[in-house]
Amino acid sequence: MFVILVYDVEQKRVAKVLKTCRKYLYWVQNSVLEGEITEANLVKLKTELEKIIHRDTDSIIIYRFRTTRYSAIETLGIKKGGEENIL
Amino acid sequence: MFVILVYDVEQKRVAKVLKTCRKYLYWVQNSVLEGEITEANLVKLKTELEKIIHRDTDSIIIYRFRTTRYSAIETLGIKKGGEENIL
């Protein structure tokens, strides 16, 4: 399936969350990742993320799409991050 | 079309960006909004947002989908915001 993941976590956990997400997904920019992922890997990713984030302050949203990718992606303002910025 | 919008703007502009986005889209949570929108309204929204954001520090991503909505949305951690929290 295709997923879009958006995280909103405390600054000190951003690097770890991003690193974990990037094992499975492509980093679009800022706090957004996307990619094709299997159900099994999505379960793995969620399990790993749940060990990192603090449930009382951090938040992660995962949009799941059965088959389709988006038809276009647009950006206003700067591009913060993305695949060219390797951590 | 269906769009998902993610903003990453400086704190002092968050309220204004969110208020503008909510004229056209439904606030999911955190920095994420979604909804059905016409091409004309999307142009309006982008024009309004470009007047608010600072292109050197702020960033907004818009995913466009032709027909489909997502099949599921999942959240890890807390739900920050969303429709129940009226500004």
Side-chain angles (χ1 to χ4, degrees):
Chain A
M1 84 198 86
F2 179 72
V3 303
I4 295 172
L5 182 151
V6 184
Y7 61 79
D8 182 358
V9 302
E10 280 195 13
Q11 191 56 42
K12 57 189 165 191
R13 286 184 289 279
V14 163
K16 206 165 182 185
V17 164
L18 185 54
K19 192 182 171 193
T20 301
C21 290
R22 291 182 74 188
K23 286 163 60 183
Y24 303 94
L25 300 170
Y26 165 81
W27 187 24
V28 182
Q29 68 185 84
N30 310 320
S31 53
V32 183
L33 297 100
E34 62 172 50
E36 286 289 336
I37 190 168
T38 61
E39 188 68 47
N41 276 341
L42 184 57
V43 170
K44 271 196 218 168
L45 173 57
K46 287 194 290 183
T47 306
E48 289 176 44
L49 288 173
E50 275 166 348
K51 282 178 191 157
I52 299 166
I53 67 170
H54 291 202
R55 298 183 70 88
D56 50 340
T57 57
D58 303 338
S59 177
I60 291 172
I61 308 176
I62 301 167
Y63 280 94
R64 302 166 65 131
F65 298 85
R66 268 199 205 85
T67 50
T68 38
R69 284 177 61 93
Y70 50 88
S71 59
I73 179 168
E74 296 178 85
T75 309
L76 308 180
I78 59 158
K79 292 206 171 198
K80 297 181 188 169
E83 200 55 22
E84 69 277 14
N85 298 33
I86 305 300
L87 283 183
Chain B
M1 84 199 85
F2 179 72
V3 303
I4 295 172
L5 183 152
V6 184
Y7 61 79
D8 182 358
V9 303
E10 279 194 14
Q11 190 56 42
K12 57 189 166 192
R13 287 185 289 278
V14 163
K16 206 165 183 185
V17 164
L18 185 55
K19 192 181 172 194
T20 302
C21 290
R22 291 181 74 189
K23 285 162 59 183
Y24 302 94
L25 300 170
Y26 165 81
W27 186 24
V28 182
Q29 67 186 82
N30 310 322
S31 53
V32 182
L33 296 100
E34 61 171 53
E36 286 290 335
I37 190 167
T38 61
E39 188 68 47
N41 276 341
L42 184 57
V43 170
K44 271 197 219 170
L45 173 57
K46 286 193 290 182
T47 306
E48 288 177 45
L49 288 174
E50 276 166 346
K51 283 178 192 158
I52 298 167
I53 66 170
H54 292 201
R55 299 183 69 89
D56 50 340
T57 56
D58 301 338
S59 177
I60 290 172
I61 309 176
I62 301 167
Y63 281 93
R64 301 165 66 132
F65 298 85
R66 269 200 202 85
T67 50
T68 39
R69 284 177 61 93
Y70 50 87
S71 59
I73 179 168
E74 297 178 83
T75 310
L76 307 180
I78 60 158
K79 291 204 171 199
K80 296 182 188 168
E83 201 55 24
E84 69 277 13
N85 297 32
I86 307 299
L87 284 183

